[in-house]
Structure formats: C-alpha cells, structure tokens
Amino acid sequence: MFNSLPPLARWGRAFFALASITLLSGCDFNFWRMDGHQSTMVVDGSVARQQLEVFYVTCWVSLVVFVIVAAVLAYAMIKFRARNEADEHAEPPPQGHGNPLIELGLIGASVLSLVIIAVPTLKAIWSTYDVPEAEKKDAYEVTATAYQWWFRFEYPSEIAAVNASGAKAPVIAANELVIPAGRPIRINLRTVDVIHSFWVPKLAGKVDMIPNRANFIFVRADKPGYFWGQCAEFCGDSHAVMRFRVVALDKKEFAEWVEQQGQLARNVAATAVATTTTPQFTALRKFAQNEAGITDKFEVNPLESWRTKQLPEKDENTALIAKGRQLFSAKTCIACHSIRGHDGAGVSAPDLTHVGSRTTIAAGLLENNSQQLRRWIRDPGSVKPGNKMAKAYLENKISLNDEEQVALVAYLESLK
Ligand code: CUA
C-alpha cells in the first residue's frame, strides 16, 4: 500500500513524522527521557507517582491485548488469503455460528483484564483523593483561588498566627505557591469567576476549581524543587497563558519564607545617595507577539533563581523607587492591587506586597526581570489578551511614558 503512493506523498509522510518529533522537542520536552517541565512521565511527588503507576498498568494490559488481537488477525489474513484467480471468485466458505468455549473464554479474558486495571485504579483513587488519616496531623493547608487569568495563594494557618499575636500581616501570594517539601499539602481550590483547573503535572493530576463548590487537592513534593503549573480548563481568552509555579522548600527555608512574607512591604529609604546624573530613559525594544518571556539562564536552575530573587536587587536607585511608589497611587494601580504597609487596598488583582521576590509575573508567563516587567506594565494587552489591567488602561486612559515605566519597575522590584 505504502509503495503504491507517489514518491512525493511518501516523502511527505516521512517529513510529518520527523516534524512531529521536532515540534515535541520545541516544547522543552526531552523525547528520549520523556521529560519536560510538565511531564507526567517523570514525576516528583507521591500522588503523581501513584497515578503514573495506574497509567503503566493500563498501558501494559492494552499492549498485551493489542499484540494478541493483531497476531490473530495477521495469522488469519495470511493463512486464508486468496492465493489465485479461482480463490478470488470462490463462494464464501460455510458460515459458523461461534464456538461457546472460545466465546466464554474471551468474555473471561476481558473481565480479567478489566479487573487487573480496576484494582490499582480504585486503590489509587482512594489513596490520592485526600491526605491519609495517619498523616493529617502533619498536613499543611493552603487555599488557591483562580481568577481570569491568575492564581491567588493564601496560607490560613499563618493568618491564624497573625490573629494570635497581631504582629504579622497575613501571607498572601500570587502565581507562585511556596510549600514545605516532604509534607502532605491540602490545597483548597476556589474560583471567583468561571471554572478553572489546578494542575501541577509533576506533583498530581488536575482538579477543577468550580464556582460555589469546595474542591480540594492533595499533593506532596518528594524534595525541594521548582515545578510548572497550568490552568487545565478552558476559561477564556488567555486560558493558555494562565500558569503558575510551585516552589517546594525544606523546613528551615520554608519557615524563613513565611517569616519574610508575613512582613509588611519593604521600605527603601529615599534619603540614601541620590543619583547625581539623570538616568537615560531609553524606550523599551519591541517584542514580537508570543515572544518567550523566560531566559535560558533562568531555565538552568530555576530554584537557585528563586533564591536570588529573595534578596534585594543590586544597585537599587532609591530616587527612582520613591518616584515609582508615588506613581503606583497616581496611576491608580492601587484600585486593584494592594501593597500591604504602603498603598492600595485592591483585591481584584494580585497582591504585590512581595512581588519582587517572585520569579515570574503575568501568571507565570514572563520572567520577573526589569525588561519583562516593563514589557508587561507598558502594554499588558499585548502579553495577555483580554486581561483586566489592559481594559483598565483603556477605560481610564492610563499610559506610562519611558521614565514612568522605569520608575514603577524599580519600585516593584524593590518589594522583596
Ligand atoms: Cu483558568 Cu483556564
């Protein structure tokens, strides 16, 4: 059959086979190791591992069934094929009405293969649904709330600590969920608008976030690491770029992070050495649509990049930071965002109190560096179509010139 194709079509097929491998390699996916940021084949959590085992059982059972059926089919096709002209025109042989022994045997074999798949499946559903009873005491609780198109992460146990002492601010993060490694994490899944879905492929399967429904998911990271997450339910224009990250830390580092996030926004003294020369505010270069916002350097060791982000930026320009802080109010950013301890009480957009300590912005789409941050605040609609910030810019006629962009970026980057 294949040989009867004209040569062009044959080459076409070969080309598409090669192209699909090339395309797969384009999306950070290592074909031979079956690994990538969002691979479900190479996992880093106990829940995902159990789910992967179910996948393998199903795969092997299907493969055995496929090989047996294909072998019998091939045997029948070769053995009973037409061998000459006379065979081709012969009457069909007498039709049988089945063999009870074979039929019962096939029913038995089908039931057996379904049971082989059902037992581990039910076991996995049972044990990955919620934190096991014996580990409930050690479980850590987080609340994830989806918005079009970003995630808010709250830490209810840390908020309780605030109420007791009154000294700390609540811990509220956005788009980066920091968790203690090794511990079972119970994540409450909420949404304020449409249905979204919470998915960190290397840690656990997806669970939907449904309006007026208290869903939850149980995950556990084996060891400290940096994981890619994605909204997995179509939720509007920018669904495909509604991403997030999970950062798992050891006990000590996690405690330090909570301590840091419990602080009010960092103040940078504007009285420090003022710049003597006026900085040159160059225009930001043009970005192609869908241009990647994450650098290769970051990809090498994202967890290390995360750690670097916890520290103040080098060469902070205090005058610019003070200007940026003013602009944050003047440009009405405060209506939607809040920076606890500074200005703003908005809750409809990500809390920016510690935005400088995150590795990404725009819901995991862009790396949090001055260039990408400026790209985002200058023209958010070009990065994430349909988002509320872009609409607010239009409705309120907000625009930022080069100097204002640079000042706002300096301020946001100072918020560690
Ligand atoms: Cu949120 Cu798709």
Side-chain angles (χ1 to χ4, degrees), residues 81-90:
R81 72 186 190 279
R83 282 159 212 273
N84 50 45
E85 189 78 1
D87 274 357
E88 274 174 33
H89 300 291

Side-chain angles (χ1 to χ4, degrees), residues 381-399:
S382 69
V383 175
K384 192 180 277 193
N387 81 82
K388 292 204 174 82
M389 189 153 108
K391 277 186 204 153
Y393 274 32
L394 268 179
E395 282 162 13
N396 304 316
K397 300 193 176 63
I398 297 169
S399 65

Side-chain angles (χ1 to χ4, degrees), residues 80-363:
F80 302 109
R81 72 186 190 279
R83 282 159 212 273
N84 50 45
E85 189 78 1
D87 274 357
E88 274 174 33
H89 300 291
E91 285 294 313
Q95 300 297 297
H97 290 282
N99 178 329
L101 204 64
I102 291 181
E103 280 176 15
L104 281 177
L106 286 178
I107 293 173
S110 314
V111 170
L112 182 72
S113 50
L114 287 180
V115 168
I116 294 175
I117 293 174
V119 170
T121 304
L122 291 174
K123 228 173 97 186
I125 290 175
W126 191 261
S127 59
T128 61
Y129 177 68
D130 198 358
V131 179
E133 208 53 48
E135 295 177 75
K136 283 237 160 94
K137 260 205 258 156
D138 188 39
Y140 193 80
E141 189 185 3
V142 187
T143 299
T145 309
Y147 292 67
Q148 275 172 321
W149 294 280
W150 60 280
F151 293 88
R152 174 199 294 272
F153 298 119
E154 282 159 291
Y155 293 72
S157 46
E158 310 305 334
I159 290 174
V162 180
N163 293 342
S165 67
K168 287 201 294 181
V171 174
I172 302 172
N175 302 321
E176 288 193 2
L177 173 61
V178 180
I179 56 169
R183 277 174 77 177
I185 316 290
R186 194 181 198 269
I187 308 173
N188 306 312
L189 301 177
R190 307 287 183 262
T191 169
V192 296
D193 37 53
V194 299
I195 300 178
H196 301 266
S197 185
F198 185 92
W199 191 29
V200 192
K202 281 181 174 277
L203 296 185
K206 54 190 92 159
V207 174
D208 277 4
M209 308 162 104
I210 301 171
N212 300 320
R213 191 179 156 140
N215 272 0
F216 61 88
I217 190 172
F218 152 46
V219 304
R220 178 178 15 218
D222 294 335
K223 52 183 195 303
Y226 186 96
F227 308 103
W228 273 249
Q230 166 77 47
C231 171
E233 176 77 42
F234 180 71
C235 55
D237 293 13
S238 284
H239 150 73
V241 288
M242 180 171 172
R243 302 171 190 174
F244 64 103
R245 300 289 192 279
V246 175
V247 182
L249 302 174
D250 65 26
K251 197 174 164 189
K252 181 169 165 281
E253 208 175 5
F254 179 71
E256 284 167 6
W257 178 83
V258 168
E259 178 63 32
Q260 167 67 17
Q261 298 286 309
Q263 308 291 327
L264 295 175
R266 176 168 169 256
N267 285 309
V268 178
T271 48
V273 199
T275 43
T276 44
T277 50
T278 318
Q280 292 301 302
F281 298 108
T282 46
L284 187 60
R285 75 169 170 89
K286 276 218 164 13
F287 288 88
Q289 206 180 358
N290 298 331
E291 186 177 325
I294 308 270
T295 58
D296 293 344
K297 189 173 158 233
F298 172 81
E299 299 265 12
V300 175
N301 193 341
L303 188 58
E304 225 21 75
S305 301
W306 181 88
R307 289 190 176 116
T308 313
K309 287 309 271 185
Q310 307 311 303
L311 310 167
E313 303 285 322
K314 291 184 192 98
D315 309 324
E316 287 186 312
N317 184 327
T318 54
L320 266 184
I321 292 172
K323 172 108 198 295
R325 186 170 170 176
Q326 275 176 347
L327 282 167
F328 192 75
S329 298
K331 294 286 177 182
T332 66
C333 312
I334 51 170
C336 302
H337 295 280
S338 90
I339 296 180
R340 285 169 275 125
H342 290 183
D343 290 314
V347 289
S348 60
D351 184 293
L352 299 179
T353 311
H354 299 284
V355 66
S357 68
R358 297 174 198 151
T359 51
T360 58
I361 49 162

Side-chain angles (χ1 to χ4, degrees), residues 367-388:
E367 188 177 323
N368 189 5
N369 58 38
S370 34
Q371 202 186 38
Q372 297 296 340
L373 196 48
R374 199 172 154 192
R375 173 188 180 185
W376 171 243
I377 61 167
R378 182 185 63 165
D379 186 5
S382 69
V383 175
K384 192 180 277 193
N387 81 82
K388 292 204 174 82

Side-chain angles (χ1 to χ4, degrees), residues 51-68:
Q51 290 163 340
L52 181 60
E53 279 159 16
V54 172
F55 169 79
Y56 279 133
V57 170
T58 315
C59 228
W60 283 116
V61 170
S62 313
L63 192 69
V64 169
V65 171
F66 172 77
V67 168
I68 293 173

